[in-house]
């Protein structure tokens, strides 16, 4: 019962972060699965992919209804990440726990740093649409797919700035389109993780994912009531602390 309550609470926090910040919240899923629910790093990244796929696909439907998804652009971007995501998913189960945890700690730290930057630093494309660069977009799509496949994160913190800065999408369209990219990458990575998916505790993953979906709706309302800059800073410093803990764990495991 305690584990179920923790899964619901963790899922709600992840959902609140996703809904309130529009990206980066899924990075909390892996450490929550490891430290609160006792998953191994490999199992946690696989379970996180399930949670990311469910929450992203649900949010994608909402954004599609609002006309914020650029299907052709998102499809081309996602296509570049399909193979790297699948290969990353297959590789993750073979990596030592220390390496997987250390790599995730680095990504979490990168997300924290990005969120501590002034909001305008990533939002310049909301004012003027710039011409896209297909080669750069393909490279970014492949890199995002690899990160999603290996570490089980959605990567909205990477794909949204790329869609605005490289492909010239407006912010709302970039957020909606990023959900298509994230959903496709997560499913591609899951397809190659059958070995790590067999022993997962679905009795915890399902309520975690459900709470994340519901929490995302509350997160949207929270974003309208709380200063966005304050929300980002609180989340960023919390994420930085999580990254530090995971890095210490990686060093500790690697020394044995």
């Amino acid at each position: 019962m305690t584990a179920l309550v923790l899964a619901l609470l963790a899922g709600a926090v992840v959902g609140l972060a996703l809904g309130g910040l529009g990206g980066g919240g899924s990075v909390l899923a892996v450490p929550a699965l490891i430290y609160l629910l006792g998953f191994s790093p490999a199992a946690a990244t696989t379970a996180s992919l399930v949670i990311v796929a469910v929450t992203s696909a649900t949010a994608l439907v909402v954004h599609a209804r609002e006309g914020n998804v650029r299907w052709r652009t998102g499809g081309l971007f996602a296509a570049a990440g399909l193979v790297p995501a699948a290969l990353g998913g297959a590789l993750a189960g073979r990596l030592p726990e220390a390496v997987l945890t250390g790599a995730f700690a680095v990504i979490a730290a990168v997300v924290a740093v990005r969120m501590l930057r002034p909001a305008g630093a990533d939002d310049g494309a909301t004012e003027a649409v710039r011409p896209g660069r297909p080669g750069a977009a393909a490279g970014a799509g492949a890199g995002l797919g690899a990160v999603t496949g290996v570490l089980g994160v959605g990567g909205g913190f990477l794909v949204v700035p790329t869609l605005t800065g490289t492909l010239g999408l407006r912010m709302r369209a970039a957020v909606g389109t990023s959900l298509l990219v994230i959903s496709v990458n997560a499913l591609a990575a899951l397809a190659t993780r059958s070995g790590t998916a067999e022993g997962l505790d679905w009795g915890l993953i399902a309520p975690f994912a459900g709470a994340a979906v519901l929490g995302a709706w509350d997160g949207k309302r929270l974003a309208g009531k709380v200063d966005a800059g304050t929300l980002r800073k609180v989340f960023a410093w919390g994420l930085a602390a999580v990254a530090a803990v995971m890095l210490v764990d990686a060093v500790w495991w690697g020394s044995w």
Side-chain angles (χ1 to χ4, degrees):
M1 181 61 70
T2 302
L4 177 59
V5 172
L6 288 175
L8 289 170
L9 290 175
V13 171
V14 169
L16 284 170
L18 282 168
L21 300 170
S26 63
V27 178
L28 285 177
V30 170
L33 290 164
I34 293 174
Y35 298 111
L36 295 181
L37 301 178
F39 283 58
S40 69
T45 54
T46 301
S48 178
L49 283 171
V50 175
I51 295 164
V52 165
V54 171
T55 54
S56 297
T58 303
L60 175 62
V61 173
V62 176
H63 279 268
R65 288 175 178 172
E66 296 176 351
N68 294 328
V69 181
R70 303 295 179 262
W71 296 97
R72 183 174 180 276
T73 299
L76 292 173
F77 196 102
L82 277 174
V83 173
L87 291 176
L91 174 65
R94 296 174 172 82
L95 290 175
E97 289 190 350
V99 173
L100 200 57
T101 303
F104 192 92
V106 171
I107 288 296
V110 169
V111 178
V113 170
R114 290 189 70 90
M115 287 189 165
L116 287 172
R117 293 170 59 189
D122 289 333
D123 296 343
T126 59
E127 298 299 327
V129 176
R130 294 190 289 271
R133 299 190 297 276
L144 174 67
V147 170
T148 299
V150 174
L151 301 179
V153 298
F157 62 95
L158 292 174
V159 69
V160 171
T162 302
L163 289 172
T164 56
T166 303
L167 298 183
L169 296 188
R170 300 282 182 176
M171 183 57 72
R172 289 180 63 84
V175 171
T177 305
S178 74
L179 293 169
L180 171 62
V181 177
I182 292 167
S183 299
V184 171
N185 284 342
L187 291 173
L190 279 171
T192 59
R193 285 194 178 217
S194 57
T196 56
E198 293 176 357
L200 295 181
D201 189 343
W202 294 100
L204 294 178
I205 296 173
F208 193 120
V213 171
L214 295 176
W217 291 101
D218 290 331
K220 288 183 178 180
R221 290 193 287 269
L222 178 66
K225 298 178 180 179
V226 180
D227 178 68
T230 300
L231 197 62
R232 287 171 67 92
K233 286 180 180 178
V234 170
F235 179 81
W237 284 115
L239 191 58
V242 170
V245 170
M246 295 188 77
L247 188 59
V248 169
D249 269 0
V251 174
W252 176 262
W253 286 343
S255 66
W256 288 85

